Amino acid sequence: MGKDLLEALDILQLSNGITIWIIPGKISEYDIRVKYKDDNGTGHWRQPKHIHWIVDWMLKREHNIEKIKELVAFFQKLWDENSPKEATATLQRLYKKDQNLNDLFLILLDDIKKFEELNNSGYYHVDFLIFSWYLLLLQEKNNRSDAYMFQKMFSALWKDYSDLYQVITDATSNYQK
């Protein structure tokens, strides 16, 4: 991972001991790969996975279903507001160093603060969940205008969790809608 760290486009330390960094990806001209390291847990870099969010959101949902539904609505709004063209333009600014991760984080900060009470349950804090998800939104919109995985995740969060197997399947499967 050391070589990748030298290639980092940018690095941002979050308030809860998690560091996020992005490196150039290989799928398109402005593709990014998102990695994170949790100083409270492991010392190695990880790549966020959809299932990590779903499990954490499910834990948070058990303690505050209304706030999770607000968070899902917020994510859906961000998804809808960011076109592939806008996502590519944002990534282009990151590549050219006209904008950095802290700039993007500050744009989301007021929204992050609205969901801080969700930090009381689950593992991840909302600053990580929202910001890393936003970076992956940019990546998906830039690379595939027909991306669907996050839409499946939103749908899974609205469902009755009595069929846990189906929720996890919805969050991790690779088939089209």
Side-chain angles (χ1 to χ4, degrees):
M1 217 42 91
K3 179 181 173 240
D4 287 343
L5 190 54
L6 293 175
E7 298 173 13
L9 294 169
D10 203 4
I11 300 171
L12 180 67
Q13 177 77 38
L14 298 176
S15 63
N16 59 353
I18 291 181
T19 302
I20 291 181
W21 60 279
I22 56 171
I23 61 171
K26 297 177 181 168
I27 296 174
S28 67
E29 183 178 6
Y30 296 112
D31 184 28
I32 59 170
R33 287 180 51 211
V34 178
K35 300 280 187 172
Y36 74 96
K37 182 172 78 169
D38 181 354
D39 293 335
N40 301 315
T42 179
H44 65 274
W45 294 93
R46 297 179 174 183
Q47 193 160 332
K49 306 276 189 254
H50 294 94
I51 190 64
H52 296 153
W53 281 301
I54 285 294
V55 169
D56 198 73
W57 290 346
M58 289 172 70
L59 292 168
K60 291 177 182 341
R61 185 181 190 271
E62 289 300 312
H63 296 278
N64 194 333
I65 191 169
E66 293 307 315
K67 206 60 165 174
I68 276 293
K69 287 186 175 191
E70 286 178 41
L71 182 60
V72 171
F74 167 71
F75 282 152
Q76 183 66 56
K77 180 180 172 220
L78 268 182
W79 181 267
D80 294 341
E81 288 176 348
N82 284 275
S83 71
K85 185 178 181 178
E86 291 165 327
T88 300
T90 299
L91 293 174
Q92 185 177 26
R93 287 190 300 275
L94 286 170
Y95 264 80
K96 291 181 175 184
K97 308 288 187 201
D98 293 337
Q99 195 168 32
N100 61 39
L101 290 179
N102 192 60
D103 296 332
L104 294 181
F105 184 80
L106 291 175
I107 292 168
L108 297 169
L109 187 57
D110 287 339
D111 293 306
I112 289 168
K113 288 179 180 180
K114 292 177 192 173
F115 298 103
E116 284 182 335
E117 67 189 82
L118 292 172
N119 290 341
N120 297 327
S121 56
Y123 180 77
Y124 297 110
H125 285 192
V126 293
D127 61 350
F128 171 74
L129 290 173
I130 291 172
F131 190 61
S132 62
W133 180 86
Y134 177 67
L135 292 172
L136 291 175
L137 171 151
L138 295 174
Q139 178 193 44
E140 280 198 20
K141 292 273 187 155
N142 174 66
N143 293 337
R144 290 199 55 170
S145 61
D146 65 339
Y148 62 90
M149 193 58 165
F150 281 114
Q151 297 297 342
K152 289 176 60 105
M153 287 177 54
F154 299 150
S155 175
L157 287 168
W158 286 105
K159 289 184 178 180
D160 174 10
Y161 287 169
S162 60
D163 186 358
L164 181 60
Y165 176 82
Q166 187 60 50
V167 171
I168 291 172
T169 298
D170 288 346
T172 59
S173 62
N174 289 324
Y175 59 86
Q176 297 289 332
K177 287 185 193 180

